[in-house]
Structures are given as C-alpha cells and as structure tokens.
Amino acid sequence: RGRWRRLRPPAALLIFAAGSVIVSYWLLSERRAAEAAASRSDFDCVIVPGGGLDAAREPAPWVAERLEAALRHDHETASYLVLSRGTTHKPAPTDSRGYAVDEAAASARY
C-alpha cells in the first residue's frame, strides 16, 4: 500500500501535464484553422499579362487598364503576378543609369 501512495502524485502530475499538452495542441489547431479560413480568398492569385511600356517607362495605357482591373479584386486575392520581361523585337527601355527596365517590375510599382 505504501508503495502505491508514493506513485500517485507523480502519476497524477504526469496525467495533468499530458492533458495540458493535448488541450494546448487542440486550441492551437483550432486557432490556426480559424486564421486559415479567415485568410482564404476567392482567388489564389490574379495574373496580369504584360503589353509594353510607354516612353516614360511606365505600363502602357492598356496594361494600366489591366492593372486597374486586377486591383478591383484586391479584397478577393492575396497576391498578384505581373508578367512580361519585354520583347525581342526591340531593345529594352533603360533607366537613367542605363539599366534595363523590366515591364513586370514597372507594372508591380504601378
């Protein structure tokens, strides 16, 4: 009898600790699931095709219209993917330091 009395408090502490870990894990899982559901959007990504830069190295008017249309979905998406490196038919426009201006970078700054 004396032997079992000595084991009960550590066993009870072990059971309490295990239960606490299980409840904590469950609460964190529920919180993560709620955060994931809240962060979901209608679109994974809005893709905006390129179409050229104007003389000021800004997106061409028709590309600006595409970007505006994409921005109207801002509340429905978490990210945007703007496309185009340029064209092989003419040299890339350059900035004041002589570096090429990527159409996708100009669209992202828009």
Side-chain angles (χ1 to χ4, degrees):
R1 261 188 163 193
R3 179 177 172 199
W4 292 109
R5 283 188 184 178
R6 280 186 269 148
L7 292 178
R8 284 187 186 169
L13 183 60
L14 181 62
I15 290 171
F16 175 76
S20 297
V21 168
I22 291 169
V23 168
S24 297
Y25 179 77
W26 178 75
L27 288 173
L28 285 174
S29 297
E30 290 295 314
R31 180 177 175 191
R32 286 186 187 142
E35 287 174 355
S39 68
R40 286 194 186 112
S41 58
D42 294 345
F43 304 108
D44 292 332
C45 180
V46 173
I47 300 173
V48 183
L53 297 174
D54 63 13
R57 296 174 202 92
E58 295 294 323
W62 50 89
V63 179
E65 288 178 28
R66 294 175 190 164
L67 293 167
E68 288 295 332
L71 289 173
R72 285 195 290 272
H73 297 283
D74 194 43
H75 64 283
E76 299 171 299
T77 188
S79 58
Y80 298 91
L81 179 62
V82 290
L83 305 175
S84 192
R85 169 71 169 103
T87 180
T88 59
H89 304 290
K90 59 182 180 177
T94 56
D95 63 11
S96 60
R97 297 179 297 170
Y99 292 105
V101 176
D102 285 341
E103 183 181 341
S107 293
R109 282 192 302 271
Y110 181 87

